[in-house]
Amino acid sequence: MGTKEINISIKEIETEIGNIKDLRFSVGRLAQETWDEPQGPTPFPSMSTLRNWDLTLLNRYKPFYLPFCDLCCLCTFGKCDLTGDKKGACGITMPGQQSRIVLLAACIGAATHTSHARELVTHLIEEFGADTRLDPGGLNIKVEAPITRLVCGMKPETLGDLEMVLDYSEQQITQLLACTHTGQEGNPVDLESKVMHTGMIDHLSMEVADIAQISSYDLPKADPNAPLVDIGFGSVDTTRPVILVIGHNVPPSVEIMDYMQDNELIGDIEVTGICCTGIDMTRYSSKAKIIGPISWQIRYIRSGIPDIIVVDEQCIRTDVLDEARALKIPVIATSGKNCLGLTDRTGDPPEEIIDDLVSGKIDGALIMNPGEVGVVAVRTAMQIAPKRKKKKSGIFLSPAEALEMAKECTQCRECRRACPNDIHIPDALKAFSRGEPAMLTGIYESCVGCIRCESACPQEIPIHSLIVAAGEDTLRNESFKLRAGRGAIQDIEIRQVGGPIVLGEIPGIVAFVGCANYPKGGNELAEMAIEFANRRFIVCTSGCAAMTIGMYRDEDGKSPYEVYSGTFEAGAIVNVGSCVSNAHISGAAVKIASIFARRNLRGNYAEIADYVYNRVGAVGVAWGAMSQKAVSIAAGFWRLGIPVIVGPHGTKYRRMLLGRSDHDEDWYVDDTRTGEKVYVGPVPEHLFIAVETKEEAMVMIAKLSMRPNDTSRGRALKLTHYIDLHRRLLGAMPTDIHRFVRMEADIPITMKEDIVAILKEKDWKETVIPDPTLLPEKEAFP
Amino acid sequence: MSQEAWLTAEVAGPKKASLITKPEIADAMIRRAKRPIFVVGSIAAEIDLEEKKLIDYVIAMAKRYNIQVVATGNTNNEFLKRGFTPDAVMPAVDIGNRLTDPRWQGVDGKGPHDLAIFVGLPYQMGWTILSGLKNFAPNLKTISLDNVYQPNARWSFSNISIKNWIMNLEAILVNRED
């Protein structure tokens, strides 16, 4: 857009009212209009502007509430029992309360990304200047910020422009959060609409964060061939000083690597990362290494290998300082959002802080200046590493130690009852104590590293350490290649796949995103990604899911990123980057509408969402979704009409958004060509659904890829995948095929006989393929 | 015997499942039901009950009590391997959702179900779906036949041993034969 902040400063002026000195005033920002696309109907929408679109979706996908708590304890009227049709003292009902909690979670998620974006943008403006040009893809990207264009109706050109977007996000989140106060919104459907608004804001802020860091730090710019980087415990040279960075906000890590570069220390020190900071570090420098997703924190810290830990924000264990202290690993906290109780040493001479950390005088320090963090972290690691050699040499429990500890187990089962995945820990410990380690070794693969088992153990057995000791060989061999996060999708890539996606000839885009709370270990996720890449879907991934997919080896010892293309095309596995890079996935869907279909993006949310919903066969899968951020990310996809599948833990998100395939009346669209209402079947059948197993997830992905706009050729292809997976993984033909066949040409030729028989039995009738829309006539046919 | 959730932190609200203290209780519930339905999750095929798997008991009960069966997850495969065809295959939350709809005419279209018997779902998934039914399906009775206490069911075993569980399941089958 190009905006200019107007600051007027008057040194001295003589007026009738007197002599005025040093007068300064600002008139905020004035837009410099450089974008000729006409403004759409909803720039900077308020939380009720897009309510009609939300209600349209929610009318199809009604919440199925799964109360995770029957009580409300948010005010001093309570606790209130809301069971069944009871109401709270404020009048709230159980559905209202569940939606309210979902909104709260979504606000936490969106606030977290927005706050992250604000911290990044503020830092980058200080570092590089507000006039720094946004450049997320060089000549390959003209639509630089699809979500911002769509939501705000503005075309940001500089870092400074992004501040206006964040002003809007912050204002919206404040208002949305206010809706959860006692005596505010209590209508469940309106609360759900606000959840969707929160999700949209979340994607906006994520986009801001990522294009800001890509542009300023020169991270891969929509590069399908971003370098392959190291991931895994086994990739670390433990003889060198090792720095571990955990979290999401990359500036401290950048400063660490810059300091090393400036002082010719690259190669002398290992910089390793866990969670999204790890991903973003490797986008900045391919010399950095990723250890693994969020669940690797405890096992890596307890290995004793890191000589210093630097934490920034989000998804960091809150007991990181306790864990580090036990192994004399100093900790540097770098964000006001996560001070860890440490003394603020920002601005102190680095030498003094380093001396205090190396001598053990202090456990850690809060340093909120990334540049200072770079100096202190590197020099502390170098000085302390020689002193910590012993701590790093015997990194795991010895077999004898582990055996003795296992023998302490009384089989009380408290560990299993604390385990989120109900893992049979007591049986494994019993077998281990008899000299049979296989079961405990097997648990290493499925343990999510929460260490609730240890908290529960009355014998104080360090159960997680025992599991890791049993899995030591696996852990040491974790050395894989991950393609560094490429960032956005190029305009040319969208042009090339837009047609086949919209016509259904590329069967779908499936995005594996989110956290690592996997029900049965991470391999399931990698196997799903490979399955759909082999089926010529476009597979996208980000964050912990991207890491997990990388930590898998095929028979030739290669990770999926070494086998599959990183181009946004059929049969690819595309790592867009960290959590905030998720905006490039929703952005790609939006760009299909803009670049391929030439729809106006500008402030035109409902029309674009209607386009995406009816035409772009995209599905999100958050197999290990755990966090509040996962809610807001999912909600941003829902509002665009993109369904999201979660693993079995996902029912704890308190409600699903489910369609009813048996309610024919729910599945009509308007045909913009004829104005007629046309039955299109339940496509996509659900907007948010938890499934139980990997097999069920794969069938669901194929099913939810269908869209009303699919051509017959496209629908036949999608049905082939759906039926084939259903037969192979669930053992039989699906019984709902008749709902997805619109005309005989939709039937896959190789399955014709079987399907025709089913259609006859179901009294199937042919229908037409419309030019579909859910928007009211005045909006759809202007 | 206690009403203590299997996963320690998953405490329920004020309304908690009554305990199935003896197999006759479950037997009576099932006998009284006019339109019972089994919701069978993927773990049913994983749990060893001496020579049998849990799913084998489900099949035996479904046949003897004439209970319709919904296979969730990928459980259908396991049923088919045993020569038993479930009445429906659908995600657990989908069947849960339909059971809250008083107008839904059941998997066979012949009328609403009045009893849902849950077995073999991942614990927390069962917990949350049963919570949905507890709160939003007032006319539906629910039983959990897992060997862990499901506080949101109408009736549930407490946390019992495998041996005790087998004894109960066998007894339910025997009662029916009588």
Side-chain angles (χ1 to χ4, degrees), chain A residues 64-68 70 81 83-84 94 417 420 422 520 649 651-652 660-661 692-693 695-696 729-731, chain B residues 4-8 41-42 46 72-74 76-77 80 91 93 98 101 104 121 124 128 131-132 134-136:
Chain A
F64 169 38
Y65 292 104
L66 305 152
F68 203 33
D70 294 339
D81 175 12
T83 312
M94 183 64 97
R417 295 183 62 194
D422 197 13
K520 288 184 177 175
H649 286 294
T651 58
K652 288 179 259 180
R660 284 288 296 272
S661 61
E692 199 178 327
T693 61
E695 292 78 10
E696 190 176 33
L729 302 174
L730 305 189
Chain B
E4 205 178 300
W6 167 243
L7 290 187
T8 316
S42 55
E46 294 173 12
T72 71
N74 54 323
N76 188 51
N77 249 334
L80 296 176
V93 293
R98 289 173 193 229
D101 177 0
W104 186 51
L121 283 169
Q124 291 146 323
T128 43
S131 171
K134 178 176 83 175
N135 282 287
F136 302 107

Side-chain angles (χ1 to χ4, degrees), chain A residues 3 29 117-118 121 124-125 130 132 134 145 148 154 156-169 204 207-213 215-216:
Chain A
T3 60
R29 289 183 166 273
R118 176 65 82 181
V121 168
L124 295 174
I125 286 176
T132 303
L134 296 178
T148 305
M154 64 178 270
E157 291 174 356
T158 64
L159 280 179
D161 290 346
L162 298 178
E163 290 192 300
M164 191 192 284
V165 181
L166 292 176
D167 290 346
Y168 165 70
S169 287
L204 184 65
E207 181 175 87
V208 166
D210 213 35
I211 62 175
Q213 64 181 3
S215 305
S216 308

Side-chain angles (χ1 to χ4, degrees), chain A residues 120 124 133-138 207-222 280 283 485-488 576 581 584:
Chain A
L120 254 178
L124 295 174
R133 308 292 297 175
L134 296 178
D135 179 17
E207 181 175 87
V208 166
D210 213 35
I211 62 175
Q213 64 181 3
I214 290 169
S215 305
S216 308
Y217 286 142
D218 201 22
L219 308 186
K221 293 180 187 296
D280 283 341
R283 294 168 84 187
R486 57 167 282 170
V576 290
S581 310
H584 302 308

